Amino acid sequence: MADIRFAAMLASLRALLVPFAVALILAGIVLIVIGENPLAIFGLLAEESFGSARRIASTLSSATPLLFTAVATAICFRAGVFNVGVEGAFLVGGLAAVFVAFALPAGLGITLIPLALVAAMAAGAIWLWFPGWLLARFEVDEVVSTLMLNFIAAAITGYLVNGPLLSASAGNNMTPAIHDAAHLPRLMPPSTLHAGFLIGIAVMVLYGLWCRYTPAGVEGGLVGLNRRFARAMGISVSGTMITVMCLSGAIAGLGGASHGLGQLFRFSDAFSPGYGFTGMAVALLGRNHPVGMIVGAVLFGALASAGTTIQLFSSVPLDLVDIIQGLVMIFAVMELALPRLRRRRHA
Amino acid sequence: MLEQILAASIVLTTPILLAAMGGLVNRQSGIVNIGLEAKILAGALVAVIVSSATGSWLLASLAALAVGAVIGWLFALTITRGNANMIVAGLGLNVLVAGAIGFILSWQYGTSGTLRLPDVALLPHVLPAAVAEIPVLGRMLAALDPLTVLAWASVAALPFVLADTRFGLRLRATGNAPQVARALGLDARRIQEATTAIAGGFSGLAGAHLALTSIGLFNEGLSGGRGFIALAAFYFGRDRPWPTAMVCLMFGFLDATQIRLQTAGLPPKLIGMIPYAMVLAALILASVRNKKRKAA
Amino acid sequence: MTHKNDHAGVVLGADRLSKAYGPVQANRDISLALGAGEIHAIVGENGAGKSTLMRMLQGMERPDSGSVILDGAPVSLSGPAEAMARGIGMVHQEFMLAPDLTLLQNLILGSEPMTAGPLRRIDWAAAEADGKRLAAKIGVEVDWHVPAGSAPVHIQQFTEIIRLLRRGARILILDEPTAVLAPPQVEELFALLRLLRADGASMLFISHKIPEVTALADRVTVIRRGEVVFAAAIADTSGEEIAGHIVGTEAPPPPVPLAARAGRTGPVLALDRLCTGKHQHVRALRDISLTLHAGEIVGLAGVAGNGQSELAEVLAGLRTAETGRIALNGADLTLADTAARRAAGLGYISADRRYEGLCLPATIALNTMAGSQRRPPVARGPFLRPAALLQGARARLDHLKVRYGRLGDPVSSLSGGNQQKLVFAREIATDPAVLVVSQPTRGVDLNGIATIHRLLGDYRAAGGAVLLMSEELDEIMALSDRILVMADGAIVGELPRGASMQEIGRMMVMGADHG
C-alpha cells in the first residue's frame, strides 16, 4: 500500500504545481509585455518571501488565515458539499472573537483568549449550520445560499462596526481595540507571525486525522464520492452535510479569531481581503490534502507578503499577485473532477 | 421629489438590468455566471479609455461590449472545453480581472484605484430636454440614455427571442437537458459559449453605463457588487425577463432611495443587504415548494 | 469475399461484424439482414452483445472487422448524426426529451420550421401541423403543449418516434421499448409499429420478451455470448424454440439444490399492506403483504418496472412507504432509517452494483467494511482504527474467497463477479436475518453466477431469509422455495417451487389485466 500512497502523493503534488506553474508562466508573459525580466522578478519574489528568517516569518504570517479558510473549504468539498461561504463565516467568527476580547472585562486576563476562540467557533458554526440545514432539509442549493450569506455577513458586520460596535476613539469603520491580555502571542517579534499560525497547523493536522481516523471523517469522504452508496450503507447523508458545514463554519470562525486576536487586534470593514476565496484556491490546489494545502497556503502567503515589497523595488504593480491568484483558481479547476460538482439538478 | 426618485431609479437600474438580462440568457443555457462583476468592471474601464480617446460614447460602448464578450467567451472556454467548475472559475475570473485592471492602471496610467481621463464623452440623453416639463414622468424621460433604452428593449425582446427563435429554443434545451441537445445534433458547448459571450457583452455595456452616465471616470469600486445583484435579480425572477426586470427596478429604486432611507435612520449597510437576503428567501421558498410538490 | 449482390434488398444489416473490448469479445461474426417493411427482432439476455451491435449499426463504434450494410451496400457511418441523416433513427430506453420543454418544442428541436420574411421565427403552426399529421398517421393522440417531463411515459415514447419520423427516419431501432410500458400501452405501441410497417418502415426491435417477439416481429435473430445462434422467420419457429436458443442449446440450468435448513426457523420479515405514494397518478406499490420465513428464498417474478425495484428500495429504507407496516423479527421498522434497519438485521444487495452497491473510486477495504465504521472493533470510542478496518476487510473477503490485488486498490479494479462477491461478503458479515437481493447476477460472468447462486443457497441453508428479485426468470425458478408474481405494483399470485415458466408468465399477464 505504501507505493500506492506514494503515487497518490506524486499525483497531488502534480495537481498542486501544474496550475501554479501555468499561472506563473502567464504572469511571466505579462511581465515581458511590460518590459520586465520575469526571472528577475520571480527571483526577487522568492528572495523576498523566503530569503531570511524575517521574510519567512512574514510569509508564514500571511499564510496563517489561509490555513483556516483552506481547511474550512476542503472539509466541505471533500464531502461533495459546495460551500463557498467560508468568507462570511470568517468575518462572523472574527467579529465574535473581537467582541468578546474587547467587551468582556479586561480583568479576565488570558482566559479571554479561549473565550474568544470558542465564541468565534460557535458563531461560525451557527452561521454555516443554516445553509447546511437548508441543504439537508430542503435541498436549497448551497452554492447560491452560501454566496449570498457572504454578502449578508459583510453587510451585518459592516453595519455593526459602523454603528453599535463603532469605536468611540478610533474613527470610522472599526471596533475598539481588544484588551492586551487577549492578544495571541507573537512567535518571532518583530515579525507579526503569531500563535494563530500554530493553531492553523494544528487544525490542518486534526483535519487530516479526522479524515482517516474517525467514522464521521470516513463517512464524509464516502458521501463526497457517492451519495447513493453512502445512503444505502446507512450513512446519514443529511447529517454528514450538516456536520461538515458546522465544522467548516467553526474552523473558518477560528480563523477569523486568529486574525482578529493575532494580527489586527480589532475588527474593521477591511477585516478580510477575501481570505475565504483564496482559501478555496488553496484547497483546490492542495486537493483537500493537508500537506498540499499547507504548501498552497505558504505559496499564496509568499505572494501576498512579497508582492508588497516587489512594488517598492520594481515597477511591477502589486496587482500581479491577484492576477496569479485568479489564474491559479481557474487552472486549478480545469480538467479536475471534484466530487459531484455540477449539475446534479439535471442528474 | 417623486420625479427625482423615478429618474434616479431608472438610471441606477440600467447597469443591473443589462447584466441581469445577459446573465439570464446564460443561465437558461445552463451556465451560472458568477463572473459578471469582472466583465462590468472591464467594460467600465474600456469605456472610459475609449471615450476619452475618441470622444464618442458610441465607440466607447461598443468597445465595452466587445471586451465583455471576449472575456465572457474565454471564460466559457474554461468551462466548456476545460471542464472547469463554473463557480470557482467565475470567482477566479473576478479576482483575475480585478487584478489585471489594477495592474493596467498602475502600469499604464501610474495611478491606483481611480482613473481620470480628459474629454470623456458621456452618454447623451435620448429625448430633448423639454420633456422634463411633462408632469411626474418628465424627469425620468429626460434622463433616458441610449443604453437604458437598449436595456429595456432587450427586456421586451427577450421573451420573443427565448420562445420563438431557433437560438432561443436551442439554448433552453441545452440548459434543460444538455445530453438531449447533444443527441439531437446540437453543439451544446458552442451554444453555451455564445450565451456566455452575450452575458459578457451585456455586462460590458453595464460597465459602460456606470462609467459614462454622470461621472466620466473609472474607479475600482465602480461596479459595487452589481454583478452579484444582477445574479440575485435573475435568481429571484426565475430567469424570466419581465419578472427579472421588475426585480432590477426594485433594486434600482432601493439604490436611488438609499440616501433618503439613510436619513430616515436605516443604516446603508443593511439596505445593501436586501438583494442578497431576498435571493436567499426566494431560494428557500422555491426549494420548500419543490420539496412539498415532490412529497405530494 | 463479399459480393455486392449478397446484400440486395437489405435495408440495414451487418456483415460478419466483430468487436472486442480488451479481452472481451462482445460481438463475433454477427450477420443480420433487415428487409424493407419488416420488423426484425434481436433477442438475447442482458450482456449478450445486443447493445454493442446497435452501437456499431449507428456508427458509434467502429467494428474490428466486418461491415455495416445500408441499402444494399457496405457503409462506414461516422455516428448517430450521420445515421440519422441517412434515415436510421434510434429510440433509446432513456428518452431523449428535455423535461421542461413542451412535447412540441421537443419535437422540432434541432430541425425547427421557420417562417419566411425578414423576422424569421419558429413557425409553431407548421410544427403543430407536422406533429398532428404524423400522430394521426400512426394512430395516436398527443397533447403537444404539456411539458415533456409531465407527459405519460408512453406519450413520451410516441413523441420520440414521431420526432424520428419527422426527421425522415425510415429505419427505426427500438431498444427494449416495452420495458417501461404497462401492458395496454404495449398494445398501443405495437399497433403503432404495425401501422408504420404497413407504411414501409423497417424496424429492429430489441427485446428479451419472447411473447412480444412472436406477436410483433417478422423475423428473429438470437444473440448469445456475442454470436448469432439462431435466425429464422417467425412463421417458421416457435416461442419455445426461441427461448431454447436464448438460454443455450444445452439443457437449461438445473435448479440449485437447496440444502436442508438449519438454524433459525419461523417468520422473520412481515410486510403488511405497503403502499407508496402516487407519482403521476400511479402507485409504484399497492398493498404489498408478504411473510418471509427463516431458511427460505422467495422469488419475486415480474416484468421489469412492475414495482420490484421500488419494493427493494422501500425495504432498504431508501424510499418511504405511504402506508403499511414493515416488521423484522417482530420489531416495527416502518419508520426506521437505513442504519437502523441494517442494525436490526436487514441486508441489501442493490440492483445497481456500480453506483449503489459499491463506491467505485473508494478502496476495496472501505467498500467491504462500509456500514461497520461505527461498530467495534473498527470503531473504538470516537475513533476509527484503520488497522482493524483492514483486518476486518481481509477476514470478510477471505471468508468468501474473493480474489483481489490489494485492499488499498480501488474496488473498480475487480471483475464484476468479484465485485458482487465483495458486496455479498459485506452484507452477510453481520449475520443479517433477511437479505433483500436485487438482480444479483447482472453483468456477472457464468462462473460468477454459479458462485453467487451457491452463496445464496448457503445463506439460506444457515437459516437466512432471502427476498430475491431478478429479471432473469430462470434464476428465480432455480433458486426460489416459492415464487410471488408481481404486476402493476401488486402481488398477484404465488406459485410453488417447480412451477413452469408458462404458469408464471400467465400470472404476470393475468395480474396485469385486472390491474
Side-chain angles (χ1 to χ4, degrees):
Chain A
M1 251 171 97
D3 50 336
I4 295 173
R5 220 172 289 152
F6 181 69
M9 245 171 79
L10 265 186
S12 31
L13 198 66
R14 206 166 32 234
L16 179 78
L17 292 180
V18 167
F20 218 90
V22 175
L24 284 184
I25 290 169
L26 287 177
I29 294 173
V30 171
L31 290 174
I32 292 171
V33 169
I34 69 165
E36 292 280 346
N37 176 354
L39 293 180
I41 298 290
F42 290 149
L44 190 60
L45 265 178
E47 168 78 26
E48 278 304 318
S49 355
F50 303 108
S52 69
R54 184 188 56 76
R55 290 166 176 148
I56 291 176
S58 159
T59 292
L60 297 184
S61 174
S62 299
T64 301
L66 304 180
L67 294 172
F68 294 93
T69 54
V71 176
T73 304
I75 206 166
C76 280
F77 279 16
R78 182 174 168 275
V81 175
F82 205 27
N83 167 22
V84 298
V86 169
E87 176 80 9
F90 185 88
L91 291 179
V92 170
L95 182 59
V98 165
F99 178 74
V100 165
F102 77 72
L104 291 188
L108 285 169
I110 196 124
T111 47
L112 279 170
I113 294 181
L115 285 176
L117 297 186
V118 168
M121 289 173 72
I126 293 169
W127 188 255
L128 286 185
W129 164 83
F130 181 56
W133 176 76
L134 288 174
L135 170 66
R137 179 79 180 75
F138 299 111
E139 295 169 31
V140 174
D141 185 27
E142 76 276 20
V143 180
V144 185
S145 65
T146 53
L147 188 67
M148 295 301 142
L149 280 171
N150 284 340
F151 292 109
I152 294 172
I156 293 177
T157 56
Y159 158 71
L160 289 174
V161 301
N162 281 294
L165 301 183
L166 181 63
S167 156
S169 54
N172 269 340
N173 307 337
M174 51 178 73
T175 63
I178 61 173
H179 302 307
D180 285 348
H183 286 206
L184 291 176
R186 290 266 149 100
L187 300 179
M188 286 177 66
S191 125
T192 58
L193 184 65
H194 56 87
F197 176 74
L198 299 180
I199 302 177
I201 295 292
V203 164
M204 204 54 99
V205 171
L206 285 175
Y207 161 76
L209 295 176
W210 180 82
C211 291
R212 253 178 87 70
Y213 293 99
T214 69
V218 169
E219 288 171 359
L222 285 176
V223 169
L225 289 173
N226 184 341
R227 265 184 208 185
R228 278 184 67 202
F229 171 77
R231 196 171 282 132
M233 289 300 101
I235 297 169
S236 165
V237 172
S238 48
T240 301
M241 287 171 173
I242 293 177
T243 303
V244 294
M245 281 294 251
C246 288
L247 285 172
S248 170
I251 294 164
L254 190 61
S258 144
H259 199 54
L261 304 188
Q263 191 79 30
L264 300 181
F265 309 126
R266 59 172 83 236
F267 191 96
S268 72
D269 248 0
F271 188 73
S272 164
Y275 289 131
F277 297 112
T278 314
M280 187 189 300
V282 171
L284 290 165
L285 270 183
R287 298 234 171 155
N288 307 336
H289 191 281
V291 177
M293 289 195 286
I294 291 175
V295 175
V298 170
L299 284 177
F300 274 112
L303 281 176
S305 79
T308 332
T309 349
I310 287 292
Q311 200 166 15
L312 296 178
F313 292 113
S314 72
S315 65
V316 178
L318 172 62
D319 305 277
L320 186 68
V321 174
D322 283 341
I323 295 181
I324 294 175
Q325 184 191 328
L327 288 171
V328 165
M329 282 177 80
I330 294 172
F331 286 111
V333 284
M334 278 172 75
E335 295 291 4
L336 178 139
L338 282 164
R340 185 200 63 92
L341 289 192
R342 278 328 72 158
R343 277 274 84 179
R344 59 183 177 280
R345 251 152 242 85
H346 301 300
Chain B
M1 188 178 93
L2 176 68
E3 298 187 349
Q4 260 174 342
I5 292 178
L6 266 180
S9 302
I10 281 291
V11 172
L12 289 168
T13 298
T14 304
I16 304 171
L17 187 59
L18 283 167
M21 287 303 122
L24 171 159
V25 170
N26 210 186
R27 181 153 177 252
Q28 285 226 1
S29 79
I31 291 194
V32 176
N33 197 327
I34 301 281
L36 297 175
E37 189 79 0
K39 293 150 211 167
I40 296 178
L41 216 49
L45 176 65
V46 168
V48 167
I49 293 171
V50 173
S51 181
S52 162
T54 65
S56 158
W57 66 269
L58 182 62
L59 286 179
S61 301
L62 289 176
L65 175 109
V67 163
V70 168
I71 294 176
W73 180 70
L74 291 173
F75 170 57
L77 291 184
T78 70
I79 298 166
T80 56
R81 314 280 161 175
N83 291 330
N85 172 275
M86 56 183 87
I87 305 298
V88 180
L91 292 170
L93 183 76
N94 288 336
V95 175
L96 169 64
V97 170
I101 286 173
F103 190 93
I104 291 170
L105 286 187
S106 75
W107 162 55
Q108 273 298 317
Y109 300 98
T111 127
S112 78
T114 304
L115 177 65
R116 277 172 223 280
L117 291 176
D119 309 322
V120 170
L122 299 180
L123 293 174
H125 295 296
V126 178
L127 300 172
V131 294
E133 303 304 320
I134 300 173
V136 189
L137 296 178
R139 293 183 73 153
M140 184 192 88
L141 292 174
L144 286 182
D145 57 71
L147 292 183
T148 301
V149 173
L150 177 74
W152 287 98
S154 73
V155 177
L158 267 179
F160 167 78
V161 171
L162 290 171
D164 290 334
T165 67
R166 185 173 275 172
F167 180 65
L169 180 64
R170 291 180 176 188
L171 81 85
R172 282 189 297 142
T174 302
N176 186 222
Q179 75 289 359
V180 171
R182 276 193 294 274
L184 290 175
L186 305 183
D187 192 337
R189 293 191 297 189
R190 281 183 61 179
I191 290 171
Q192 291 183 328
E193 283 151 22
T195 60
T196 316
I198 290 171
F202 270 71
S203 304
L205 286 178
H209 188 269
L210 280 174
L212 303 182
T213 302
S214 55
I215 44 176
L217 57 78
F218 174 82
N219 180 288
E220 277 180 343
L222 192 62
S223 56
R226 282 183 179 79
F228 290 98
I229 293 180
L231 183 85
F234 61 75
Y235 257 89
F236 203 81
R238 294 168 146 219
D239 296 340
R240 291 166 301 176
W242 278 107
T244 301
M246 291 305 116
V247 179
C248 291
L249 198 54
M250 200 191 76
F251 291 163
F253 177 77
L254 269 180
D255 211 354
T257 49
Q258 195 169 358
I259 298 159
R260 278 168 231 276
L261 291 173
Q262 213 173 323
T263 47
L266 272 171
K269 292 277 184 183
L270 291 187
I271 299 170
M273 185 176 101
I274 290 173
Y276 309 115
M278 274 177 55
V279 172
L280 197 57
L283 202 63
I284 295 169
L285 282 178
S287 302
V288 171
R289 224 179 3 234
N290 232 334
K291 188 94 181 170
K292 281 221 179 101
R293 195 175 333 131
K294 253 192 237 165
Chain C
M1 138 117 226
T2 311
H3 208 268
K4 200 180 169 191
N5 286 348
D6 292 354
H7 305 305
V10 176
V11 175
L12 178 68
D15 183 21
R16 282 174 290 153
L17 284 177
S18 292
K19 178 76 187 175
Y21 297 103
V24 183
Q25 189 74 37
N27 277 186
R28 187 197 306 274
D29 277 339
I30 290 198
S31 292
L32 177 79
L34 172 67
E38 184 178 84
I39 297 181
H40 191 134
I42 311 276
V43 294
E45 294 190 294
N46 282 325
K50 292 171 293 183
S51 43
T52 303
L53 177 60
M54 296 312 127
R55 293 171 69 81
M56 287 195 285
L57 288 178
Q58 282 195 96
M60 291 161 78
E61 296 276 0
R62 220 155 262 292
D64 296 338
S65 64
S67 51
V68 174
I69 310 297
L70 182 63
D71 295 326
V75 287
S76 169
L77 297 172
S78 61
E82 191 190 348
M84 186 69 244
R86 300 183 69 161
I88 307 169
M90 172 126 184
V91 179
H92 298 266
Q93 281 192 58
E94 195 131 318
F95 298 142
M96 286 295 169
L97 299 173
D100 290 355
L101 300 188
T102 65
L103 290 173
L104 188 60
Q105 289 168 340
N106 272 290
L107 174 71
I108 60 167
L109 184 61
S111 65
E112 303 83 355
M114 304 302 282
T115 57
L119 195 62
R120 280 165 58 79
R121 55 189 178 79
I122 296 176
D123 190 342
W124 291 110
E128 194 161 351
D130 256 15
K132 284 199 170 132
R133 179 176 54 79
L134 290 165
K137 181 168 153 189
I138 59 173
V140 298
E141 245 180 87
V142 177
D143 178 357
W144 290 105
H145 299 287
V146 295
S150 46
V153 169
H154 65 294
I155 297 293
Q156 295 186 27
Q157 192 174 50
F158 295 162
T159 306
E160 287 241 328
I161 293 171
I162 293 171
R163 181 167 65 191
L164 292 176
L165 297 176
R166 186 175 168 273
R167 291 181 143 209
R170 55 201 168 83
I171 305 162
L172 295 183
I173 303 175
L174 301 137
D175 187 7
E176 298 194 26
T178 58
V180 292
L181 300 181
Q185 299 171 346
V186 171
E187 278 314 309
E188 213 176 330
L189 173 70
F190 282 9
L192 171 171
L193 296 180
R194 290 193 184 101
L195 273 175
L196 277 178
R197 173 173 59 187
D199 203 48
S202 313
M203 282 161 265
L204 282 180
F205 175 72
I206 302 167
S207 178
H208 50 201
K209 295 173 191 165
I210 296 159
E212 293 179 356
V213 169
T214 51
L216 181 70
D218 303 301
R219 292 189 63 80
V220 59
T221 294
V222 180
I223 297 179
R224 186 171 149 74
R225 292 191 213 153
E227 296 182 69
V228 173
V229 292
F230 180 69
I234 290 294
D236 301 338
T237 181
S238 67
E240 286 73 27
E241 194 182 7
I242 298 171
H245 287 292
I246 292 175
V247 292
T249 45
E250 65 268 33
V256 175
L258 295 176
R261 295 162 200 177
R264 291 177 289 240
T265 52
V268 283
L269 179 72
L271 309 184
D272 184 25
R273 283 169 293 152
L274 278 183
C275 287
T276 53
K278 279 189 181 173
H279 178 67
Q280 288 185 14
H281 314 294
V282 179
R283 285 188 202 281
L285 295 181
R286 297 185 293 135
D287 282 331
I288 300 281
S289 298
L290 66 87
T291 306
L292 201 58
H293 295 82
E296 74 168 347
I297 297 178
V298 172
L300 264 184
V303 179
N306 273 280
Q308 302 96 311
S309 50
E310 286 84 357
L311 180 57
E313 286 175 13
V314 166
L315 292 178
L318 302 171
R319 180 189 277 261
T320 46
E322 195 175 62
T323 55
R325 195 165 168 276
I326 302 169
L328 182 66
N329 285 327
D332 188 342
L333 289 184
T334 315
L335 298 173
D337 63 13
T338 304
R341 288 172 196 228
R342 293 177 70 85
L346 193 135
Y348 170 52
I349 292 178
S350 168
D352 192 353
R353 179 174 63 242
R354 293 168 57 80
Y355 296 104
E356 190 170 82
L358 294 170
C359 180
L360 289 180
T363 62
I364 290 172
L366 203 47
N367 271 286
T368 310
M369 297 305 288
S372 301
Q373 71 276 2
R374 285 184 185 271
R375 293 185 207 157
V378 178
R380 183 194 279 163
F383 298 109
L384 179 140
R385 299 159 61 217
L389 185 110
L390 292 179
Q391 201 183 340
R394 198 173 296 121
R396 287 181 180 187
L397 296 174
D398 289 351
H399 182 59
L400 293 193
K401 301 191 176 58
V402 182
R403 284 208 312 254
Y404 58 90
R406 280 167 298 205
L407 288 170
D409 291 346
V411 78
S412 52
S413 64
L414 298 181
S415 72
N418 271 319
Q419 288 181 1
Q420 191 69 315
K421 276 159 76 179
L422 181 152
V423 172
F424 258 89
R426 180 184 69 216
E427 295 301 318
I428 63 171
T430 50
D431 195 24
V434 174
L435 269 188
V436 175
V437 179
S438 193
Q439 318 299 342
T441 54
R442 187 179 274 174
V444 173
D445 62 23
L446 288 174
N447 278 330
I449 292 175
T451 313
I452 285 162
H453 286 176
R454 185 175 48 72
L455 289 173
L456 279 170
D458 290 351
Y459 171 72
R460 169 192 173 277
V466 176
L467 189 62
L468 172 67
M469 294 144 204
S470 174
E471 282 174 30
E472 310 299 325
L473 196 51
D474 52 2
E475 182 164 84
I476 289 196
M477 293 168 66
L479 285 168
S480 307
D481 290 291
R482 52 196 173 101
I483 298 169
L484 300 175
V485 180
M486 268 190 99
D488 280 345
I491 292 177
V492 295
E494 176 172 342
L495 291 164
R497 180 174 177 81
S500 72
M501 189 180 271
Q502 284 74 14
E503 280 176 279
I504 301 172
R506 205 176 305 130
M507 203 171 268
M508 284 182 189
V509 180
M510 259 169 41
D513 282 349
H514 73 226

